[in-house]
């Protein structure tokens, strides 16, 4: 048994007490915002994923890291996925999908990627907090994550720093999307594992 189980959280002090409190804070905030994500918006994004010949992912900073994780999971399902900016990413074209994420929807590189993709006949799907943003305007499917933007310091939506809540919910949402696609695919975990990187 751990200390919390034996003595209860009231017995904790210092860092242990702070961690116990903030673990609950983070989980509560993620759960609250994730419950507000519209399943119909997600379904539209998943339709775009299904129809795409190839999928490209684009995001900056921590949002970009989350989409790289999502790209790996989509690859495990057998989809053709590229990360924008990597040296092996080919040119995007009609029939492809750009999956982009930006909390503000104004991140210059991400918006430019969306506009370039659309100009070449590709579709765009996006995760953002901002339905009126340039990124949302460029996308055929938009999933709104109603979290604070990274510049909303002191926001009543979160007690966490900067864009943490958006990025956390983005990760949870992309994992739920993967799980939904896998449910439909019916491949065994062992089949997906055959696609897992063996050069690490």
């Amino acid at each position: 048994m751990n200390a919390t189980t034996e003595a209860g959280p009231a017995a904790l002090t210092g860092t242990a007490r702070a961690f116990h409190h903030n673990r609950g804070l983070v989980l509560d905030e993620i759960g609250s915002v994730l419950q507000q994500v519209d399943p119909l918006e997600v379904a539209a994004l998943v339709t775009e994923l299904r129809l795409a010949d190839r999928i490209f992912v684009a995001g900056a900073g921590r949002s970009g890291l989350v989409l790289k994780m999502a790209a790996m999971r989509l690859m495990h399902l057998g989809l053709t996925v590229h990360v924008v900016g990597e040296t092996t990413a080919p040119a995007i074209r009609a029939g492809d999908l750009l999956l982009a994420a930006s909390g503000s929807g104004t991140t210059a590189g991400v918006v430019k990627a969306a506009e370039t993709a659309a100009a070449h006949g590709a579709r765009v799907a996006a995760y953002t907090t901002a339905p009126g943003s340039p990124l949302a305007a460029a996308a055929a499917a938009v999933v709104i994550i109603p979290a604070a933007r990274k510049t909303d310091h002191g926001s009543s939506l979160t007690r966490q720093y900067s864009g943490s809540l958006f990025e956390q919910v983005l990760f949870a949402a992309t994992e739920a999307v993967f799980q939904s696609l896998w449910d439909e695919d019916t491949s065994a975990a062992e089949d997906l594992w055959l696609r897992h990187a063996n050069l690490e």
Side-chain angles (χ1 to χ4, degrees):
M1 297 180 69
N2 60 39
T4 307
T5 305
E6 290 177 347
L12 299 174
T13 59
T15 302
R17 186 178 184 84
F19 173 79
H20 177 77
H21 168 76
N22 288 316
R23 173 177 60 188
L25 173 97
V26 170
L27 290 174
D28 287 347
E29 287 192 356
I30 293 171
S32 175
V33 172
L34 190 58
Q35 286 294 328
Q36 296 175 63
V37 173
D38 187 341
L40 294 178
E41 292 179 353
V42 175
L45 181 143
V46 169
T47 296
E48 296 290 344
L49 291 173
R50 287 197 198 99
L51 294 176
D53 294 334
R54 301 176 301 172
I55 300 162
F56 293 70
V57 302
R62 285 163 50 110
S63 298
L65 294 174
V66 171
L67 286 193
K68 284 185 177 182
M69 290 189 283
M72 176 185 278
R73 286 293 181 253
L74 295 174
M75 174 276 293
H76 285 149
L77 288 173
L79 303 177
T80 301
V81 192
H82 299 284
V83 176
V84 172
E86 296 294 325
T87 56
T88 55
I92 199 167
R93 64 189 180 214
D96 294 336
L97 175 72
L98 176 70
L99 178 62
S102 167
S104 67
T106 61
T107 306
V110 178
V111 173
K112 179 63 175 175
E115 293 171 346
T116 300
H120 284 82
R123 304 275 288 179
V124 178
Y127 293 97
T128 184
T129 68
S133 65
L135 178 60
V142 180
V143 175
I144 300 301
I145 295 176
R149 299 176 197 175
K150 64 183 178 183
T151 55
D152 291 344
H153 305 301
S155 168
S156 62
L157 296 175
T158 182
R159 290 185 55 203
Q160 297 184 70
Y161 175 69
S162 196
S164 290
L165 183 56
F166 172 75
E167 295 141 5
Q168 292 157 356
V169 176
L170 175 63
F171 172 70
T174 59
E175 287 290 282
V177 164
F178 162 75
Q179 196 70 30
S180 299
L181 288 168
W182 187 22
D183 287 346
E184 296 172 3
D185 182 73
T186 71
S187 295
E190 290 77 10
D191 297 328
L192 272 61
W193 184 251
L194 293 175
R195 301 186 185 105
H196 190 76
N198 56 10
L199 296 175
E200 295 180 331

